[in-house]
Amino acid sequence: MESDTFTKFDVVVIGGGAAGIMAALSVKKHHPDLSVAILDQTFELGRKILIAGAGRGNISNSNLVHGPANFFHGNQELISSVFSQFGYKEIMDFFDNLGVPLYEEKKSDKGKLFPYIDHAKTLRNMLLDELVSKGVNIFCNTPVLRGVHGDNGWSIESKEIIFRSTYLIVSTGGKTYPALGSDGSGYEIARSVGHTIIDPVPCAVPVVSKNQLSQLLQGEKMVMRAEAFLDGKNVSESVGDVMFTQYGFSGPAILDVSYEISIRINRIKGSGASILLTFFPRYTKEEVLDELKKRKEKHPGYLVSHLLWGLLTERISNAVCDIAGILPEKKAEELSEIELSNLLSVLTSFESEVTGTRGWNEAEFTAGGVDGSEVDPKTLESMKMKSLYFAGEVLDEDGMVGGYNLSWAWASGWVAGRLGR
Ligand SMILES: Cc1cc2nc3c(=O)[nH]c(=O)nc-3n(C[C@H](O)[C@H](O)[C@H](O)COP(=O)(O)OP(=O)(O)OC[C@H]3O[C@@H](n4cnc5c(N)ncnc54)[C@H](O)[C@@H]3O)c2cc1C
């Protein structure tokens, strides 16, 4: 599209999520004289901030105090470099200065940080006020179709306006929750200047796994240990809520271990993935067996399912007995060694093959994106094209559930917005 009319800024940021907002604020902090515009294809900025932590805003994690904890994938040099410039302390200070101090939620014991007001929308709105007060120009409902670099710098084509700029920051997010704006269109802009896009797959995603527990316990949840196995080898594990659904498993513990499974199924198109569940994550197999034997001796006349009450709910203990092949009328004193062993096996190592994952509408973030090795780890400038920077989920970096991904968005946005200085 050729046109004589265009709107010019020193810096254009494509994508106004957490990373783009932070990048624009960082430009204004480090280069106050530069004009900045954020272009976003939805009607408002920061829509994913609104849903973080179920609306309470789990926007960072205190484990980052020791460095880039819980970022297991992507380019580690790049992740370390970014968090060494804008890590735990800088994130805490930034929000403190904004007027929204963060606190650590103790109940989950996972280091999750929330805004003091427990309200993501207020935090998001304060960020928007900050953008306006620093003079950042905001263009909503402005989907960018392409960015081309020529003699006059960047020409950025949206549906109705052509923007020109000296610097371009791409912070278009991944592909999850496309209804909130991140539909993967940013990858094309990166690809058009020669970047490699690591095949994006949904991550932190529920898994499809037909199994008897889910069939019998749809809608139930329980704190369990979930382990992901590939070809019989344990590749990750997590303790937390597991939810039994009509298609298989969901819940935080499943999302935590879904990464390798999703890569195997969605990127490599392979099989051999399974989930192994343990009902009592704090006890060893031997301890569970001892407890079962103790209960059996103490209450020989109880139905076997009743033996488990108190450890499990009535509905779950019925389901466990059913799967172990124990008839509902069977009494504890009638339990054979084989039946006891079957029961133990369901309770401590229930394994189910995973045949798929749920899709982009149910995943919390994207594994894959712009290859981190093609980006300068110190500045996040493209190694393919000067004056082009990346920030946030559009890059092939991802952390665990629990505030790490928004931390990445803040930190990488800040670094990109320095424009190399
Ligand atoms: C349900 C859910 C819950 C989550 N909970 C948490 C949590 O509690 N804690 C946590 O740390 N992380 C959480 N995450 C992950 C976190 O929200 C993301 O990793 C983070 O928001 C990514 O920020 P971003 O700015 O890189 O991308 P996004 O927030 O996706 O922003 C990208 C922006 O770019 C715009 N855009 C895209 N393409 C174009 C285009 N072509 N032209 C113009 N604009 C464009 C989009 O409209 C969007 O506004 C959650 C994610 C989901 C889906």
Side-chain angles (χ1 to χ4, degrees), residues 113-158:
L113 294 171
F114 290 84
Y116 185 70
I117 22 99
D118 263 332
H119 197 237
K121 189 168 183 184
T122 302
L123 177 131
R124 193 283 309 258
N125 289 349
M126 290 174 81
L127 285 167
L128 298 189
D129 283 352
E130 188 71 0
L131 287 174
V132 172
S133 80
K134 293 287 186 283
V136 174
N137 300 273
I138 298 171
F139 294 81
C140 289
N141 300 310
T142 307
V144 172
L145 308 173
R146 64 187 68 80
V148 181
H149 194 266
D151 293 343
N152 297 318
W154 287 97
S155 172
I156 300 130
E157 295 175 17
S158 75

Side-chain angles (χ1 to χ4, degrees), residues 302-308 321 326-328 330-332 335 343:
Y302 273 20
L303 293 178
V304 177
S305 57
H306 288 202
L307 279 191
L308 300 169
C321 287
I326 296 164
L327 297 172
K330 174 132 304 185
K331 292 204 174 131
L335 200 61
L343 195 57

